[in-house]
Amino acid sequence: MENDGIDIDAYEKLSMDWHERKWRLAAEKTMGFIFCPIRKCRRDLGCSGPMVPSERQRRTVEAQKTIGLSGKAVACLPLCVATADDDTHRRCQQVLEAISRALEARPQPRLPRYDRRNRGRAWGSTSWS
């Protein structure tokens, strides 16, 4: 597959950044940091837990691989979403779709960046409650 001069690594980095921003925003809008099961997120007042590989992303990863990408850009979800029950995950997906529609409608989209060091300690603990 010819890449037509596209820097695949740069494209995947940008895709990973957008993927992370959209999922963190969806998690925050769905669960709210007040109700997030991850204490660090509640302390940081936003989604700042780790992004972890999730089996729920299998189809999305496979779709990326079929077009010649590695799939790494879309393989992870915020820990709270990756471990959420099916109903919560489904609500997060609905919010994510609404975010995507809003981004398509706006010519210069902006999404918040969630810094894992916001207002507190860096993520380093193995426990997340």
Side-chain angles (χ1 to χ4, degrees):
M1 176 181 226
E2 189 176 315
N3 66 14
D4 297 325
I6 296 171
D7 182 353
I8 299 296
D9 290 335
Y11 176 79
E12 285 196 337
K13 273 185 162 177
L14 182 63
S15 293
M16 186 181 297
D17 182 53
W18 275 99
H19 172 80
E20 180 175 348
R21 287 180 190 217
K22 287 192 294 188
W23 271 105
R24 287 185 183 282
L25 182 59
E28 188 173 310
K29 296 297 180 190
T30 301
M31 292 182 255
F33 62 84
I34 299 288
F35 302 107
C36 182
I38 300 174
R39 187 170 135 224
K40 173 138 179 47
C41 297
R42 292 191 307 266
R43 293 175 77 184
D44 287 348
L45 303 178
C47 184
S48 62
M51 294 289 286
V52 297
S54 175
E55 180 62 26
R56 289 179 160 154
Q57 291 297 99
R58 182 174 32 91
R59 287 192 300 188
T60 309
V61 169
E62 288 171 3
Q64 291 256 312
K65 286 182 177 181
T66 61
I67 62 170
L69 300 172
S70 70
K72 292 178 187 175
V74 296
C76 296
L77 292 174
L79 181 60
C80 60
V81 176
T83 59
D85 59 70
D86 290 339
D87 185 52
T88 302
H89 183 261
R90 195 171 13 264
R91 285 191 323 236
C92 279
Q93 283 182 311
Q94 291 169 345
V95 171
L96 183 76
E97 290 167 10
I99 291 167
S100 294
R101 284 191 303 273
L103 290 172
E104 288 173 11
R106 189 170 173 200
Q108 303 239 320
R110 294 185 137 211
L111 285 176
R113 179 178 301 279
Y114 293 95
D115 185 0
R116 287 181 203 98
R117 300 195 66 149
N118 266 5
R119 300 189 52 200
R121 297 181 308 221
W123 184 269
S125 172
T126 55
S127 68
W128 57 278
S129 55

